[in-house]
């Protein structure tokens, strides 16, 4: 039997994700949850939901989270980490508030949170923290004592997150025809966000052009490109590109869009492109539609060979990385030295989101940060 790892003071891990519909009848109610408070008509939501209807109204994200849960539980058991793992979503069942209520009734008092978003941004971090605060307030209103929740640090540069993506790019390059492989470009793709949100992402000292969001992605892209060169002997040109824009046309968002980038690379004579979705933990709808469907169709129109590399998903190395992050954070909470495991030039992210980190346009309470009302 493995030695038991010390994860005190924590008594549970919560996998916190976005959620997604699991059938055609779920699509519009799911989108109503996502867009609540914005006044978007139901007919418009039906139009937006066509991406889901193309796949039977089912987002793959929930099954992917189930696979990750299984991988985490298996890894924890094999390595002596006695920590129950729960799962809650922001926008669909199992809902975050219901899961936290279950955790309280199970006697959980100190909870670590793993969000399925690796980078700093409002939508990728603070919004999750706001949802946690909303859920804790709901429990309090029911007369339950809310647990203390802490969020694991951003894991964008942990080897267990990066190394599976290196493998994915190398595999995609190997799948290209021999005559275009060495000249192939790599398009490292992530979710576009408004430039104003990017510029204020991360701690205040990281704010500026692109903020922590862009810098973190560029750092990961460079690490992967360097590793691919070391593995293949070829130094492939690369660029960070964006996808899945959903905002009003007059609001500036991060560019270039992946489809525009493919047109530009084709016009410049690139013989092939590997699309590497480094901004996503798993192959959910934005990967399946925006890359596998829309961008791949654009490449077909251009006659440009493309391949799409795999996301991390439930890779055992990612599960091991989560274990490492849990042990690291627990040691820090106990006042012990914990050497963080990172790649690249940026170092380990903060454990506690500081005041002013990834601010919202309309301030709301957020848990698991220096400004949390639930310390």
């Amino acid at each position: 039997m493995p030695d038991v790892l010390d994860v005190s003071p924590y008594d549970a891990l919560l996998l916190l994700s976005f959620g997604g519909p699991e059938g055609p009848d779920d699509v519009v109610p799911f989108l109503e949850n996502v867009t609540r408070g914005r006044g978007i008509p139901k007919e418009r939501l039906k139009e937006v939901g066509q991406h889901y209807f193309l796949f039977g109204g089912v987002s793959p994200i929930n099954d992917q989270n189930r696979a990750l849960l299984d991988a985490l539980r298996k890894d924890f058991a094999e390595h002596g980490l006695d920590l129950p793992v729960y799962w809650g979503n922001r926008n669909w069942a199992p809902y975050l508030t219901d899961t936290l209520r279950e955790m309280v009734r199970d006697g959980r008092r100190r909870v670590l949170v793993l969000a399925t978003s690796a980078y700093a941004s409002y939508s990728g971090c603070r919004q999750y923290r706001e949802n946690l605060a909303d859920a804790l307030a709901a429990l309090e209103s029911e007369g339950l004592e809310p647990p203390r929740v802490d969020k694991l640090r951003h894991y964008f540069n942990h080897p267990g997150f990066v190394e599976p993506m290196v493998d994915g790019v190398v595999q995609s390059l190997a799948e290209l025809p021999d005559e275009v492989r060495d000249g192939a470009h790599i398009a490292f793709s992530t979710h576009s966000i408004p430039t104003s949100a990017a510029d204020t992402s991360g701690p205040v000292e990281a704010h500026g052009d692109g903020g922590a969001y862009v810098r973190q992605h560029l750092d990961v892209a460079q690490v992967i490109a360097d590793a691919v060169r070391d593995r293949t002997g070829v130094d492939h040109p690369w660029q960070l590109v964006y996808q899945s824009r959903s905002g009003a046309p007059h609001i500036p968002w991060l560019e270039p869009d992946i489809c525009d980038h493919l047109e530009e690379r084709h016009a410049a004579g690139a013989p092939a492109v590997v699309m590497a979705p480094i901004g996503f933990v798993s192959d959910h709808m934005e990967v399946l539609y925006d890359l596998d469907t829309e961008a791949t169709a654009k490449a077909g129109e251009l006659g440009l060979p493309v391949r799409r590399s795999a996301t991390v998903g439930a890779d055992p190395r990612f599960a091991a990385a989560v274990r490492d992050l849990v042990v690291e954070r627990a040691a820090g909470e106990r006042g012990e030295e914990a050497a963080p495991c990172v790649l690249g030039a940026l170092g380990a992210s903060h454990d506690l989101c500081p005041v002013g980190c990834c601010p919202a346009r309309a301030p709301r309470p957020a848990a698991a940060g220096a400004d949390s009302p639930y310390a």
Side-chain angles (χ1 to χ4, degrees):
M1 293 291 292
D3 294 332
V4 175
L5 296 173
D6 186 1
V7 292
S8 61
Y10 297 107
D11 55 20
L13 176 70
L14 168 63
L15 174 65
L16 176 56
S17 194
F18 192 81
E22 301 201 76
D25 293 341
D26 296 344
V27 172
V28 171
F30 163 73
L31 292 173
E32 287 175 333
N33 287 342
V34 174
T35 61
R36 183 172 287 115
R38 301 183 202 172
I40 299 177
K42 183 170 287 190
E43 290 307 311
R44 174 58 182 151
L45 294 179
K46 289 179 181 177
E47 294 175 18
V48 173
Q50 290 306 310
H51 296 180
Y52 291 96
F53 292 127
L54 286 174
F55 295 88
V58 178
S59 168
I61 192 169
N62 282 342
D63 278 344
Q64 289 161 4
N65 281 324
R66 293 182 183 106
L68 179 56
L69 278 173
D70 289 344
L72 291 172
R73 289 166 176 159
K74 180 175 185 290
D75 179 272
F76 287 7
E78 290 176 347
H79 292 86
L81 200 162
D82 184 17
L83 195 71
V85 186
Y86 295 76
W87 168 37
N89 288 325
R90 291 171 48 195
N91 299 297
W92 201 249
Y95 287 103
L96 170 60
T97 302
D98 295 336
T99 301
L100 281 172
R101 186 183 298 112
E102 176 189 359
M103 297 175 81
V104 169
R105 289 173 176 167
D106 287 348
R108 312 304 176 193
R109 302 304 312 148
R110 287 292 303 271
V111 177
L112 266 175
V113 177
L114 167 68
T116 53
S117 177
Y119 301 85
S121 70
Y122 170 74
S123 56
C125 184
R126 186 174 177 91
Q127 194 168 17
Y128 282 86
R129 294 175 49 225
E130 290 176 351
N131 294 144
L132 281 166
D134 290 343
L136 294 171
L139 298 186
E140 208 168 40
S141 72
E142 297 170 9
L144 297 173
E145 184 181 352
R148 173 170 168 177
V149 296
D150 292 325
K151 183 176 174 290
L152 289 171
R153 67 174 170 87
H154 300 299
Y155 48 84
F156 64 93
N157 55 0
H158 194 289
F161 183 68
V162 175
E163 288 167 359
M165 294 191 290
V166 174
D167 288 352
V169 173
V170 170
Q171 178 62 37
S172 292
L173 287 166
E175 293 170 358
L176 286 169
D178 293 347
E179 63 272 18
V180 300
R181 183 179 304 127
D182 286 354
H185 288 228
I186 305 172
F188 292 109
S189 185
T190 191
H191 206 302
S192 185
I193 61 176
T195 56
S196 58
D199 294 347
T200 56
S201 59
V204 172
E205 62 269 19
H207 293 179
D209 188 15
Y213 186 75
V214 171
R215 282 193 279 282
Q216 289 170 359
H217 281 87
L218 288 173
D219 193 54
V220 170
Q222 186 66 65
V223 169
I224 296 173
D226 289 346
V228 169
R229 181 196 62 225
D230 293 343
R231 291 263 298 271
T232 66
V234 179
D235 194 5
H236 291 273
W238 63 268
Q239 186 171 339
L240 180 62
V241 302
Y242 303 93
Q243 62 177 88
S244 312
R245 176 187 171 128
S246 59
H250 68 281
I251 298 175
W253 283 51
L254 293 173
E255 296 178 335
D257 177 78
I258 178 63
C259 290
D260 294 338
H261 178 71
L262 293 176
E263 290 184 340
E264 292 166 0
R265 291 302 90 212
H266 178 256
V273 173
V274 167
M275 301 181 292
I278 62 172
F280 305 91
V281 172
S282 65
D283 289 2
H284 52 62
M285 186 58 66
E286 283 150 321
V287 175
L288 291 185
Y289 183 80
D290 295 329
L291 294 184
D292 293 355
T293 304
E294 192 173 51
T296 299
K298 171 59 69 175
E301 294 172 10
L302 298 169
L304 177 67
V306 295
R307 296 293 185 274
R308 196 268 290 173
S309 66
T311 53
V312 174
D315 190 290
R317 288 168 291 183
F318 183 45
V322 175
R323 167 171 42 88
D324 180 65
L325 290 165
V326 167
V327 172
E328 172 196 310
R329 180 61 181 272
E333 287 295 305
R334 296 192 303 270
E336 301 170 6
E337 289 292 331
C341 193
V342 295
L343 298 173
L346 295 182
S349 185
H350 48 261
D351 280 335
L352 190 68
C353 291
V355 175
C357 193
C358 304
R361 283 178 295 178
R364 291 175 51 201
D371 55 353
S372 171
Y374 298 97

